[in-house]
Amino acid sequence: MTRSSSAELLKSVEYWPNHLLTIAEWSLLPENNKHCRELVDGVLVVAPQPPRHQLAVWRLAAQLERALPRRVAAMARIELIIDEGSPPTVRVPDVLIVGGAAGAEHATRVWPGDVLAAIEIVSPGSRRVDRIMKFAEYAAAGIEHYWLLETENSLRLLTHRLRDGRYVPTGEYAGQVTLELDELNLPLDLDALTALRASGASV
């Protein structure tokens, strides 16, 4: 992966929004698969999406989806409306486990009341956001479960549950595990999320 040139960087900054965006303006932004875009108090925030991070996101969603009943869905990189007021905040978690009508319809935009669990894969560019900012925002929004997949040194999944308006730790996992979520059993192979295929392996 190559870094953007100075000219490309200056060009992108030149066309950056010079005002706080509304939900309507956010909705008009063109799709962009190279970066994660979120809206924080009306401010457009963009972060790179390294290929291996994206691979882990999609593999995690696929593993979860296989274990979920039809009324519940695991969806990657969909919009979560934290606050639709003025200015609005829209997060795009790595993976959401969504129930109700939103889960059945595989909605592309959901609200906290639709979410059973929010999952973030922590990367060097998202550590403060995932561990501090989203930790507070998701709790304030009433999302019952928040899981963090830590990737530094070794893969570890840290689970948290809402208690009296704050997240409290409920477990730390590695390797092959089975998690419980609202009476659902979710088997996961954490090491497989970032493992590279062996040379010559079939697709």
Side-chain angles (χ1 to χ4, degrees):
M1 182 177 66
T2 58
R3 293 180 180 271
S4 299
S5 68
S6 297
E8 290 174 333
L9 180 60
L10 290 173
K11 184 177 180 180
S12 67
V13 172
E14 181 181 356
Y15 292 101
W16 207 255
N18 61 358
H19 63 282
L20 299 181
L21 299 182
T22 65
I23 286 286
E25 291 173 322
W26 161 265
S27 299
L28 292 175
L29 293 176
E31 291 187 10
N32 186 327
N33 295 325
K34 294 182 179 180
H35 303 90
C36 173
R37 293 187 305 203
E38 297 181 311
L39 195 63
V40 182
D41 290 332
V43 177
L44 182 62
V45 178
V46 177
Q49 289 291 283
R52 201 167 186 185
H53 183 98
Q54 293 189 56
L55 179 64
V57 168
W58 293 108
R59 284 180 174 176
L60 176 59
Q63 284 194 32
L64 289 167
E65 184 70 10
R66 288 195 295 267
L68 293 172
R70 294 183 63 182
R71 61 182 174 84
V72 183
M75 293 181 283
R77 319 295 309 159
I78 65 169
E79 296 179 8
L80 171 61
I81 307 296
I82 298 294
D83 184 352
E84 57 184 331
S86 182
T89 293
V90 181
R91 290 298 189 181
V92 182
D94 286 323
V95 177
L96 289 177
I97 300 177
V98 178
E105 297 168 3
H106 283 71
T108 58
R109 174 179 288 180
V110 299
W111 280 258
D114 302 316
V115 178
L116 303 181
I119 310 168
E120 299 287 1
I121 300 176
V122 181
S123 60
S126 71
R127 288 177 294 192
R128 180 174 296 274
V129 173
D130 292 340
R131 296 171 182 167
I132 300 175
M133 296 176 64
K134 290 185 177 181
F135 208 89
E137 290 176 3
Y138 293 170
I143 294 173
E144 186 72 14
H145 298 270
Y146 184 34
W147 300 347
L148 285 171
L149 184 66
E150 297 280 356
T151 58
E152 292 184 25
N153 300 321
S154 62
L155 285 178
R156 296 174 297 123
L157 182 67
L158 309 179
T159 59
H160 307 82
R161 187 165 190 173
L162 205 57
R163 289 283 187 272
D164 299 323
R166 299 179 62 184
Y167 285 124
V168 297
T170 55
E172 179 175 335
Y173 306 90
Q176 296 188 5
V177 301
T178 297
L179 302 180
E180 292 185 7
L181 176 68
D182 297 343
E183 300 183 353
L184 298 173
N185 292 321
L186 306 177
L188 290 175
D189 184 348
L190 300 178
D191 292 331
L193 298 180
T194 57
L196 298 178
R197 289 195 178 97
S199 178
S202 59
V203 177

